[in-house]
């Protein structure tokens, strides 16, 4: 992707994150004045930290690359080879890496982004559940994943690879320790990896399956001396890591800042959705009371208003006020324009129920107005007036209740949409990605999670 397009993606992501943080600034600073606000402030503290962390990561232009794999596949050795020095501990024993550790990598072609490499424990080590959760946490933060194998993929490795794919992150499959295989075996394993990596869906290209020898085993060589003496010595070879370096730099130069922007937005989207869910859950009773209050007032106002059209207009205004009041109760962002859009959405998705309310309300309103005018000449028409008023008020009240119930759902699910909403900006980026990129291959999967 063009550099200008990547910069645009990064700037849009920054604006979206800053807007999200401004929406919940009352929770970050004082927690609000009411006890419920204080309680909500504590509940959503982890999500607010995610938003702050995502914005900080974008501001610092840090790309995170995490290495995963089973024990003894050489994850630490691969990262050491990329860095060019032995920073991370390696060894023949299982489980040398006990917890995630990150180091900075500064390749000569790094461009404007900084690169952080994350080493992780083996996915099949002791305390599997804890390790699995740790892996999910690291994968969520990573912008690019290296999955390291050292031969044909085992069943456990294949399951781990499928689990990492579900994180919808770009992934490079690294075939390490190729120095241990003859050329024919190496090519056969590589072909098998290609078939497995692309099985079922084209999320990896051949360029994203690379072969390396991060820490080649010393080889015994025969040395003949001038005096005729012959000895056997161990010779250490340099790491074969160039192919992986080029693959990483090619991806980062082509779409690195877009990957950074998209991953930050995905984390922020999950955080804002969780904030909305916790807000709705915590204030459910207060919201229900508010809906019933609006239901009664709308029914009464529509029933007592003798002028057709004005009672319908008043009912619509009441529904708009209900939606904005619910948003205020939940502490979720909502403008008058967005409330009107939400009401239209509810009307169109209600299966015609609320549209029927408007139709019957218009019919009864006209009948009520006619009865009101006629009652001045014939008091007996008052019975018709009150009958129409009660029927219209009941329908209007029921419609208001339906609007309130639907608005609760839409407010929780729709907090990531709207101008500069995280889902909106994610969709914009996905619509602009080019066909020769990793993001293009992931676009369909990522788009499905926006619905």
């Amino acid at each position: 992707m063009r550099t200008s397009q990547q910069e645009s993606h990064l700037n849009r992501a920054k604006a979206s994150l800053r807007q999200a943080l401004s929406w919940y600034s009352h929770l970050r600073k004082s927690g609000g004045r009411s006890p419920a606000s204080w309680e909500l402030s504590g509940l959503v503290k982890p999500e607010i930290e995610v938003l702050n962390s995502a914005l900080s990561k974008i501001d610092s232009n840090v790309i995170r690359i995490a290495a995963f794999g089973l024990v003894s596949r050489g994850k630490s050795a691969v990262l050491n080879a990329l860095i060019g020095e032995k920073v991370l501990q390696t060894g023949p024993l299982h489980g040398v890496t006990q917890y995630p550790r990150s180091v900075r990598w500064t390749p000569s072609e790094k461009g404007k982004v900084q690169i952080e490499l994350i080493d992780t424990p083996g996915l099949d080590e002791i305390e599997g559940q804890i390790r699995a959760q740790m892996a999910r946490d690291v994968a969520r933060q990573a912008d690019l994943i290296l999955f390291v194998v050292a031969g044909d993929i085992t069943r456990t490795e294949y399951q781990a690879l499928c689990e990492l794919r579900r994180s919808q992150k770009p992934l490079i499959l690294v075939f390490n320790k190729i120095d241990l295989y003859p050329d024919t075996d190496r090519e056969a394993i590589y072909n098998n990896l290609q078939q497995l990596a692309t099985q079922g869906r084209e999320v990896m290209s051949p360029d994203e399956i690379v072969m390396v020898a991060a820490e080649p085993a010393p080889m015994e060589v025969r040395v003949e001396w001038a005096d005729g003496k012959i000895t056997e010595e161990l010779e250490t070879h340099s790491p074969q890591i160039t192919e992986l370096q080029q693959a990483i730099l090619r991806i980062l130069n082509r779409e690195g800042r877009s990957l950074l922007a998209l991953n930050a937005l995905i984390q922020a989207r999950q955080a804002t959705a969780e904030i909305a869910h916790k807000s709705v859950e915590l204030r459910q009773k207060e919201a229900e009371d508010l809906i019933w209050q609006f239901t009664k007032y709308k029914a009464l106002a529509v029933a007592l208003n003798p002028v057709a059209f004005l009672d319908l207009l008043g009912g619509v205004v009441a529904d708009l006020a209900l939606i904005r009041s619910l948003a205020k109760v939940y502490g979720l962002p909502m403008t008058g324009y967005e409330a009107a859009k939400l009401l239209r959405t509810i009307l169109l998705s209600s299966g015609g129920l609320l549209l029927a309310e408007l139709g019957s309300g218009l019919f009864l309103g006209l009948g009520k107005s006619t009865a009101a005018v006629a009652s001045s000449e014939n008091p007996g028409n008052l019975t018709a007036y009150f009958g129409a008023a009660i029927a219209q008020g009941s329908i209007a009240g029921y419609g208001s209740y339906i609007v309130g119930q639907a608005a609760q759902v839409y407010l929780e699910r729709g907090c990531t949409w709207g101008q500069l909403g995280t889902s909106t900006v994610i969709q914009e980026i996905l619509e602009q990605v080019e066909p020769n990129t990793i993001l293009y291959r992931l676009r369909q999967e990522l788009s499905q999670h926006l619905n």
Side-chain angles (χ1 to χ4, degrees), residues 66-76 78-79 94-97 118-126 131-132 134-136 138-139 145-151 153-154 156-164 171-177:
F68 291 95
L70 305 192
V71 294
S72 300
R73 288 344 187 233
K75 299 181 298 298
S76 301
V78 167
L79 299 186
H94 281 203
V96 171
T97 303
I118 304 175
D119 194 16
T120 64
L123 295 172
D124 56 338
E125 290 185 57
I126 303 172
R131 303 287 185 190
M134 184 187 299
R136 283 191 290 269
V138 173
I145 290 173
L146 307 180
F147 190 79
V148 182
V149 299
I153 288 183
T154 66
T156 302
E157 282 177 315
Y158 183 70
Q159 291 172 346
L161 179 61
C162 292
E163 180 68 28
L164 286 171
L171 187 146
I172 295 178
L173 185 58
V174 182
F175 175 17
N176 188 26
K177 302 187 180 184

Side-chain angles (χ1 to χ4, degrees), residues 221-233:
V221 296
R222 178 174 171 155
V223 181
E224 296 184 6
W225 300 90
D227 59 1
K229 182 181 179 182
I230 298 176
T231 61
E232 301 287 339
E233 295 184 3

Side-chain angles (χ1 to χ4, degrees), residues 319 323 339-355 399 402-411:
D319 288 339
I323 291 172
K341 285 180 61 179
L342 177 55
L343 181 58
R344 286 198 299 272
T345 302
I346 293 172
L347 287 171
L348 293 174
S349 64
S350 62
L353 179 63
L354 296 180
L355 293 175
I402 295 299
V403 167
Q405 294 294 318
Q408 289 180 294
V409 176
Y410 280 102
L411 283 170

Side-chain angles (χ1 to χ4, degrees), residues 147-358:
F147 190 79
V148 182
V149 299
D152 278 320
I153 288 183
T154 66
R155 180 181 297 274
T156 302
E157 282 177 315
Y158 183 70
Q159 291 172 346
L161 179 61
C162 292
E163 180 68 28
L164 286 171
R165 274 182 165 180
R166 281 193 281 272
S167 67
Q168 285 90 46
K169 297 296 177 66
L171 187 146
I172 295 178
L173 185 58
V174 182
F175 175 17
N176 188 26
K177 302 187 180 184
I178 59 172
D179 56 301
L180 302 180
Y181 297 91
D183 289 346
T184 53
D185 292 346
R186 180 192 309 170
E187 289 301 320
I189 293 172
Y190 178 76
N191 292 333
N192 290 338
L193 293 176
Q194 279 191 315
Q195 293 177 10
L196 282 172
T198 58
Q199 188 174 12
R201 47 184 175 165
E202 185 63 33
V203 295
M204 296 179 67
S205 76
D207 292 340
E208 289 138 26
I209 305 171
V210 300
M211 298 190 290
V212 303
E215 197 172 43
M219 295 184 62
E220 195 174 75
V221 296
R222 178 174 171 155
V223 181
E224 296 184 6
W225 300 90
D227 59 1
K229 182 181 179 182
I230 298 176
T231 61
E232 301 287 339
E233 295 184 3
L234 291 178
E235 184 177 280
T236 302
H237 294 276
S238 299
Q240 300 175 40
I241 201 71
T242 303
E243 186 179 351
L244 178 58
Q245 288 175 330
Q246 291 176 346
I248 292 173
L249 294 176
R250 182 170 56 249
I251 291 170
L252 297 190
N253 290 333
R254 184 179 61 197
E255 51 191 311
R257 274 158 285 177
S258 295
L259 285 173
L260 177 59
L262 195 59
N263 189 47
L265 287 166
I266 290 172
Q267 291 184 60
R269 178 181 177 274
Q270 293 169 343
T272 51
E274 188 61 25
I275 290 173
H277 175 71
K278 289 180 178 180
S279 300
V280 169
E281 197 172 59
L282 181 64
R283 292 166 174 168
Q284 185 65 32
K285 186 178 184 308
E286 187 178 349
E288 287 289 341
D289 292 342
L290 180 68
I291 291 171
W292 278 113
Q293 185 180 11
F294 267 84
T295 297
K296 290 184 289 186
Y297 288 160
K298 179 183 173 182
L300 186 62
V302 169
L304 294 179
N305 192 327
V307 181
F309 299 108
L310 286 182
D311 47 14
L312 291 178
L313 179 61
V316 171
V317 171
D319 288 339
L320 291 173
L322 171 58
I323 291 172
R324 295 198 66 178
S325 297
L326 280 172
K328 188 174 181 180
V329 166
Y330 293 139
L332 300 175
M334 176 65 65
T335 64
Y337 173 73
E338 289 170 333
K341 285 180 61 179
L342 177 55
L343 181 58
R344 286 198 299 272
T345 302
I346 293 172
L347 287 171
L348 293 174
S349 64
S350 62
L353 179 63
L354 296 180
L355 293 175
E357 176 206 334
L358 294 176

Side-chain angles (χ1 to χ4, degrees), residues 12 16 19 23 265 415-426:
R12 292 285 289 173
S16 178
Q19 175 180 270
W23 282 345
L265 287 166
C415 64
T416 62
W417 293 96
Q419 187 176 17
L420 284 180
T422 50
S423 292
T424 302
V425 180
I426 289 172

Side-chain angles (χ1 to χ4, degrees), residues 69-91:
L70 305 192
V71 294
S72 300
R73 288 344 187 233
K75 299 181 298 298
S76 301
V78 167
L79 299 186
N80 283 337
L82 286 172
I83 298 167
E85 57 182 304
K86 195 167 182 177
V87 177
L88 300 167
Q89 184 182 3
T90 62

